[in-house]
């Protein structure tokens, strides 16, 4: 029986080892500089006033204002609608941008870079910053929250979609081209069947994130349950804040469970 030939492992280059040590030292120095530049006032953190505030406020979070449940649930549903509408718009808008970024779909490197710059620029802004911009543009209402969620989610979904497109089986595309299929037939019969399950899975996962994000957009006037959090905080109504947080936790947990089940079925 012939022995299998095994190629000897290449010894690690000393230059590679030096690079790794250098990178480790740089990261360690950044961490040291970060922590040494922070001035922590332990006397303020553990002062009598701070401890008194904790003793006075924290127990109220565990005494939720049940009588406010109806109003809170109404605003929670508004938050869900903001997240759903924004996520749905982002899932659609991200598709053409993803094809523009995919190098196996668009061979022009310049166009690929334009698509990546657009998605990178959109991802640079958190939803709360976009909400401030849109509140100034369209006024303090839920529509500003929808726009903030839609634009903020487009960047991340476009990036994920483009990675899915780049990983498709190109043999299917070549077989359709060889059989004389046109561009639309290739798109609908060769590309979409491969990418749609993962597109939907990522869109549902992004909806989970958007529910959390839309819960705080009301703080800047973009609608949703964040508006109630602001009013309750300003009035020092900590029992209502506790009830709001409880509703958010329960709602997000339920959505996570449902979306996780759906994503397992899709992929």
């Amino acid at each position: 029986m012939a022995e299998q030939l095994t190629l000897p492992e290449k010894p690690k280059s000393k230059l590679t080892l030096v690079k790794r040590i250098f990178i480790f030292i740089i990261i360690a120095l950044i961490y040291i500089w970060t922590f040494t530049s922070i001035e922590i006032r332990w006397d303020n953190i553990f002062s009598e006033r701070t401890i008194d505030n904790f003793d006075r406020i924290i127990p109220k979070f565990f005494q939720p204002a049940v009588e406010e449940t109806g109003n809170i649930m109404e605003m929670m549903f508004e938050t869900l609608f903001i997240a759903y509408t924004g996520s749905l718009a982002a899932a659609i808008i991200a598709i053409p941008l993803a094809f523009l970024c995919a190098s196996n779909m668009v061979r022009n490197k310049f166009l690929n870079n334009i698509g990546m710059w657009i998605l990178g620029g959109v991802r640079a802004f958190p939803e709360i910053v976009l909400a401030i911009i849109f509140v100034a543009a369209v006024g303090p209402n839920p529509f500003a929250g929808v726009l903030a969620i839609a634009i903020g989610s487009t960047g991340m979904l476009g990036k994920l979609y483009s990675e899915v497109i780049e990983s498709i089986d190109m043999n299917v595309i070549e077989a359709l081209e060889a059989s004389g299929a046109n561009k639309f037939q290739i798109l609908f019969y060769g590309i979409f069947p491969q990418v749609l399950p993962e597109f939907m899975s990522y869109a549902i996962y992004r909806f989970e994130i958007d529910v959390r994000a839309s819960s705080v957009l009301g703080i800047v006037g973009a609608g949703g349950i964040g508006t109630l959090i602001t009013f309750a905080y300003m009035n020092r109504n900590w029992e209502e804040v506790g009830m709001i947080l409880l509703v958010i936790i329960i709602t997000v947990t339920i959505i996570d469970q449902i979306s996780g089940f759906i994503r397992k079925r899709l992929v």
Side-chain angles (χ1 to χ4, degrees), residues 192-209:
F192 277 169
Q194 295 188 66
V195 301
L196 278 182
E198 290 193 62
F199 277 12
M200 295 174 65
S201 176
Y202 281 131
I204 293 171
Y205 177 67
R206 185 65 202 184
F207 172 67
E208 298 176 28
I209 299 173

Side-chain angles (χ1 to χ4, degrees), residues 35-245:
F35 284 105
T36 54
S37 62
I38 298 175
E39 184 180 358
I40 302 176
R41 298 292 301 273
W42 297 104
D43 54 335
N44 288 340
I45 295 175
F46 296 103
S47 66
E48 185 177 345
R49 180 182 176 184
T50 304
I51 295 173
D52 180 64
N53 286 337
F54 270 91
D55 290 340
R56 182 168 50 85
I57 294 172
I58 297 301
K60 293 183 179 181
F61 284 104
F62 298 96
Q63 301 169 6
V66 181
E67 65 275 6
E68 297 291 337
T69 304
N71 189 29
I72 293 172
M73 289 303 299
E74 181 181 347
M75 297 303 290
M76 191 69 236
F77 278 117
E78 182 177 287
T79 300
L80 291 175
F81 287 132
I82 290 172
Y84 175 77
T85 308
S87 300
L88 181 62
I92 296 171
I93 297 170
I95 293 176
L97 290 173
F99 276 95
L100 185 64
C101 294
S103 57
N104 58 342
M105 294 290 114
V106 177
R107 305 292 182 180
N108 190 313
K109 190 67 175 177
F110 178 72
L111 293 177
N112 287 148
N113 288 333
I114 289 177
M116 287 188 286
W117 289 339
I118 292 172
L119 294 179
V122 171
R123 291 201 308 275
F125 295 96
E127 285 84 359
I128 193 72
V129 175
L130 292 170
I132 293 172
I133 295 171
F134 287 119
V135 165
V138 302
N141 54 61
F143 183 55
V146 171
L147 292 175
I149 293 294
I151 300 301
S153 299
T154 296
M156 183 55 67
L157 285 178
K159 175 66 175 175
L160 295 173
Y161 285 2
S162 65
E163 292 177 357
V164 172
I165 295 170
E166 288 180 343
S167 64
I168 65 174
D169 185 5
M170 294 302 293
N171 291 327
V172 177
I173 312 301
E174 292 172 0
L176 287 171
E177 289 177 344
S179 64
N182 58 38
K183 297 292 184 182
F184 289 102
Q185 290 171 329
I186 292 172
L187 181 66
F188 284 102
Y189 297 106
I191 298 175
F192 277 169
Q194 295 188 66
V195 301
L196 278 182
E198 290 193 62
F199 277 12
M200 295 174 65
S201 176
Y202 281 131
I204 293 171
Y205 177 67
R206 185 65 202 184
F207 172 67
E208 298 176 28
I209 299 173
D210 289 339
V211 171
R212 299 180 181 91
S214 59
S215 298
V216 298
L217 295 185
I219 294 174
V220 295
I225 203 167
T227 307
L228 286 184
I229 295 175
T230 303
F231 290 150
Y233 165 76
M234 292 173 64
N235 295 324
R236 299 295 188 268
N237 190 348
W238 305 116
E239 292 86 352
E240 185 177 352
V241 174
M243 189 65 201
I244 293 170
L245 295 178

